Amino acid sequence: MNELPLQRLLPQIIDDLATHGWSRQTHVLPQSLTGELASECRQRAQNGALSPAGVGRGQGLAVREGVRGDSIQWLEPGQNTACDQYLAAMNELRRALNQAFYLGLEDYESHFALYPPGAFYQKHLDRFRDDDRRTVSAVFYLNDTWQADQGGALRLYPNDGSELDVLPEAGTLVLFMSAELPHEVLPASRERLSLTGWFRRR
Ligand code: OGA
Ligand code: MN
């Protein structure tokens, strides 16, 4: 693959994660690829391929719209060129994180997510009580021309007591330590698309 913008952002990402436990980068992929991922997500939604997201895992998995209101579909390799390019980019990122932090990140799991207008995800951590493999969370946004007054921010709660809002603008990637950073998705007045994933260790 040609060099992606993400490639030259790696040193900044690593520095941010080391210092703050989170990083926000914009224009991480070529606009054309981000647009293809957005189309693919919309296509899947139209085809009825997305399902209401659950809370918890395994036997404890339950749909609770009062907690989270998005619909998702997990990404599988080999279904779509744009998705495969995204997975390849995340694999590069995984290798860079392993080199920098010796995290032993073994794989990356991710899903498309669509929040209809008004949907939200209450404040939570990304690590399950009974499964501590999720180590670094990565959310990539797919929404053109997002305005602050449309809501839908990802609100991060770093442990210094501050609050930080990230708008889900196309091309923005947010990374944070899954077990450490509480966060929530605020309701929006428009549909909100993303690719959300987790780098997992053994
Ligand atoms: C999640 C999540 C954040 C976002 O799916 O666990 O926190 O901005 N998503 O979509
Ligand atoms: Mn989360």
Side-chain angles (χ1 to χ4, degrees):
M1 203 193 301
N2 293 330
E3 174 148 310
L4 295 169
L6 178 63
Q7 213 78 38
R8 61 175 166 70
L9 299 171
L10 290 174
Q12 185 63 52
I13 288 172
I14 284 159
D15 195 55
D16 287 346
L17 285 174
T19 326
H20 309 293
W22 61 272
S23 180
R24 168 186 170 272
Q25 303 294 329
T26 58
H27 308 292
V28 156
L29 298 181
Q31 246 176 41
S32 53
L33 177 52
T34 303
E36 284 164 35
L37 291 167
S39 304
E40 177 68 13
C41 184
R42 266 187 231 103
Q43 193 69 52
R44 290 180 186 212
Q46 245 167 36
N47 295 344
L50 307 189
S51 318
V55 176
R57 66 184 279 282
Q59 296 278 308
L61 183 69
V63 172
R64 290 209 216 102
E65 279 176 31
V67 178
R68 68 184 289 192
D70 56 329
S71 287
I72 66 167
Q73 190 187 32
W74 291 95
L75 237 60
E76 301 289 346
Q79 294 179 323
N80 171 272
T81 311
C83 292
D84 285 350
Q85 285 175 350
Y86 182 74
L87 290 173
M90 289 302 108
N91 200 42
E92 289 298 309
L93 178 52
R94 183 180 65 81
R95 291 157 54 111
L97 294 174
N98 278 340
Q99 269 185 22
F101 300 122
Y102 305 102
L103 286 171
L105 302 174
E106 205 175 43
D107 70 1
Y108 174 75
E109 56 171 7
S110 72
H111 59 59
F112 280 114
L114 185 153
Y115 288 74
F120 55 86
Y121 193 160
Q122 283 184 351
K123 189 172 173 183
H124 64 281
L125 286 173
D126 280 349
R127 188 169 274 190
F128 299 117
R129 248 163 302 201
D130 59 342
D131 181 346
D132 63 1
R133 283 177 300 164
R134 286 182 173 181
T135 304
V136 180
S137 303
V139 193
F140 183 62
Y141 298 107
L142 304 172
N143 313 286
D144 282 326
T145 60
W146 196 279
Q147 308 293 327
D149 66 2
Q150 294 174 323
L154 169 66
R155 180 164 290 170
L156 302 174
Y157 297 90
N159 62 13
D160 61 6
S162 63
E163 281 179 19
L164 188 112
D165 284 0
V166 178
L167 295 184
E169 172 71 18
T172 295
L173 177 71
V174 179
L175 298 163
F176 53 89
M177 303 311 291
S178 307
E180 287 161 28
L181 197 79
H183 56 281
E184 69 177 311
V185 178
L186 301 177
S189 59
R190 57 180 271 199
E191 199 171 78
R192 178 189 191 274
L193 310 179
S194 64
L195 268 167
T196 301
W198 297 272
F199 296 99
R200 298 189 303 185
R201 60 180 169 218
R202 271 169 285 273

